Amino acid sequence: MKQITRKNKILCVGGFDGFDSLKKKLNIYLYKNIYQPVSGINKYYFKIDEHRIGYSHMNQWYGEWKYKVKDVDTVILSDGIRGRDVIEYIHEKNPDARIIVYYMNSIYGHGRNEPSRYKNLPCELFTFDKYNAEMYDIRFKHYYYPYMNQRGNTVDLHCNQDIFFIGEDKGRLGDLVKLKNDFENNGFKCKFLILKTKHKFYFMHRHELISEPIPYDEVVKEIKQSRAILDFTQSRQHGLTYRPMEAMCFQKKLITNFEEITDYNFYNPKNIFRLSHDNINDLKSFLEQPYEPVDDSIREEYVAANWLDSFFQ
C-alpha cells in the first residue's frame, strides 16, 4: 500500500482543516485561500477579470501558494476554484505535478467550479457527494473529521441535553423548529443552535436563531454534554456532514434524516436513529441503550492523515 513519504511534497490549497499537525512530519504546504482576500473596488475588478474570456492574468489574484507550485509533486485544491485558469496555471508552471480537485460541498447548479468544466484538463476530480460522483462521472471519496484522532476523555458523563443540533438555517428553519417541538413533546430536552442565513429577513421563529457562529471548541463542549446529535441535511445533499463523524468520534448517538447513512461502514442501528425509517416512539429506548464504539480500523479512515494517504494508495 503506497503512502505519503518524506519524498512527497504536497501543496494543499483551500479549506482543508486539521492538516496543521501534519506539516511537522511531512512536506506539506498549506494555504487556506485560493485567491487573495479582496475588498472595496478590488472586488469589482476581480469579478471583471474572472469573467473575461481568454484572460490570461488571473494569477495576479492568486494567493501566496502560487510561489510554491514549482517545488511540489502534488497539488490538492478544494472546490473554491472559480475557473479553469487555476489548473492551467499549475500545469504550466509544473507540468509533472499531479493535480487533484476535491469537492467538499455538493454541486447544485452550473457554477464556475462545475466538474464538467475541468474534464479535459490534466487533473483528477473527487467529491464527497455520491450523487454528484455519479452525475459528473467523477470519483467518490468521503471527507475526514479533523479531530477524529482525539483520544482520552471524549465522553462527558454529565449530559445537559438529550439532543443537540447546530447548523445554519439554509431553508430548514421551519422543519427544524417542528422537529424540536416533536422531540420536546415526547419529553426530550433539546438545544438547537440555528444560525441565521446572511441577508435574510425572518418573520417567524426569530427567537430560535443565533446571529453569529460560535467557536468550534464550544461546539465540541456541547456535543460532549449531549446524549445525541441531530444531523439534518438539505434534501439535495448526498454527502456526509461533520455530524455523523462527530458522533463517531465522541461516541454519541446520532439522529439523522440522511438516507445514505446506511451505505457507510460505521453504520450501526444501535447508534444511529433514522428519522425516515425509525419510529419516534422508540427514540427513548434507543437513547437509553449503550453506545457501541466503532472499530478503530473504521475510525482511522476518517483521520486527516489517513484521508490524505488514501490519494496515494
Side-chain angles (χ1 to χ4, degrees):
M1 181 168 59
K2 186 177 180 182
Q3 294 184 330
I4 302 171
T5 68
R6 290 186 181 274
K7 294 181 180 179
N8 288 109
K9 292 184 178 181
I10 306 167
L11 176 62
C12 296
V13 187
F16 296 104
D17 296 326
F19 282 2
D20 288 338
S21 61
L22 304 182
K23 291 192 294 185
K24 301 175 183 178
K25 302 178 182 179
L26 305 167
N27 293 317
I28 297 178
Y29 307 99
L30 301 177
Y31 294 87
K32 189 170 183 64
N33 299 314
I34 295 176
Y35 303 95
Q36 300 175 33
V38 292
S39 59
I41 192 66
N42 284 333
K43 283 187 177 181
Y44 172 75
Y45 290 134
F46 175 80
K47 288 291 185 183
I48 290 177
D49 286 350
E50 75 169 346
H51 286 92
R52 288 186 188 180
I53 298 175
Y55 184 63
S56 59
H57 299 290
M58 274 300 293
N59 60 296
Q60 68 178 312
W61 298 106
Y62 300 164
E64 294 297 307
W65 61 267
K66 65 185 178 183
Y67 301 113
K68 275 289 181 185
V69 169
K70 293 181 178 179
D71 302 329
V72 301
D73 54 66
T74 304
V75 181
I76 303 179
L77 299 161
S78 76
D79 51 13
I81 56 174
R82 296 179 59 81
R84 295 165 56 93
D85 54 276
V86 174
I87 298 167
E88 291 170 340
Y89 174 85
I90 295 169
H91 186 62
E92 177 188 347
K93 298 298 181 183
N94 189 344
D96 296 325
R98 181 185 179 196
I99 305 172
I100 297 168
V101 179
Y102 184 80
Y103 289 82
M104 58 180 71
N105 296 288
S106 295
I107 307 156
Y108 297 135
H110 301 285
R112 294 183 62 81
N113 67 347
E114 188 183 26
S116 58
R117 294 176 178 265
Y118 309 128
K119 276 300 190 73
N120 63 338
L121 292 176
C123 63
E124 303 167 43
L125 305 176
F126 292 81
T127 176
F128 89 120
D129 187 307
K130 288 188 175 182
Y131 178 75
N132 285 162
E134 294 179 5
M135 174 184 290
Y136 295 105
D137 191 26
I138 61 179
R139 295 173 66 179
F140 166 77
K141 182 184 290 292
H142 64 68
Y143 201 42
Y144 63 91
Y145 180 56
Y147 307 96
M148 189 61 77
N149 57 1
Q150 284 192 4
R151 288 290 186 260
N153 182 25
T154 61
V155 180
D156 193 320
L157 297 179
H158 175 71
C159 289
N160 291 336
Q161 57 262 343
D162 296 306
I163 302 168
F164 173 66
F165 172 83
I166 184 165
E168 188 180 337
D169 166 19
K170 295 182 179 179
R172 302 173 293 176
L173 180 58
D175 291 332
L176 286 168
V177 171
K178 181 180 183 305
L179 198 54
K180 181 186 177 190
N181 290 337
D182 288 344
F183 289 148
E184 291 177 338
N185 289 337
N186 278 274
F188 300 108
K189 186 177 180 181
C190 301
K191 185 166 186 176
F192 279 35
L193 300 176
I194 307 170
L195 180 65
K196 290 180 179 179
T197 297
K198 289 183 179 180
H199 312 301
K200 180 178 178 179
F201 181 78
Y202 290 88
F203 292 96
M204 301 176 63
H205 309 304
R206 282 182 285 183
H207 64 287
E208 301 282 354
L209 296 160
I210 59 174
S211 299
E212 299 293 334
I214 66 172
Y216 193 70
D217 58 348
E218 291 296 318
V219 175
V220 171
K221 181 179 178 181
E222 293 291 351
I223 289 171
K224 290 183 176 181
Q225 295 177 352
S226 306
R227 297 172 70 190
I229 303 169
L230 173 64
D231 174 44
F232 198 81
T233 63
Q234 296 170 273
S235 60
R236 296 182 295 172
Q237 180 169 315
H238 301 272
L240 203 63
T241 70
Y242 264 15
R243 304 292 90 92
M245 294 186 282
E246 290 166 342
M248 177 169 34
C249 177
F250 298 107
Q251 299 185 24
K252 297 295 181 178
K253 295 296 184 80
L254 180 73
I255 302 168
T256 183
N257 69 336
F258 182 48
E259 290 294 317
E260 289 93 336
I261 196 74
T262 56
D263 296 338
Y264 290 83
N265 55 2
F266 58 80
Y267 175 72
N268 180 343
K270 293 183 179 179
N271 293 339
I272 299 174
F273 187 94
R274 293 191 292 158
L275 289 168
S276 63
H277 180 269
D278 300 317
N279 192 319
I280 196 170
N281 293 326
D282 298 325
L283 186 56
K284 184 175 185 295
S285 60
F286 166 80
L287 292 177
E288 289 174 347
Q289 292 177 4
Y291 180 90
E292 292 192 357
V294 176
D295 190 90
D296 281 348
S297 64
I298 294 176
R299 283 171 52 107
E300 288 294 316
E301 294 180 22
Y302 298 85
V303 172
N306 298 331
W307 181 84
L308 197 57
D309 271 346
S310 69
F311 287 103
F312 298 85
Q313 294 173 4

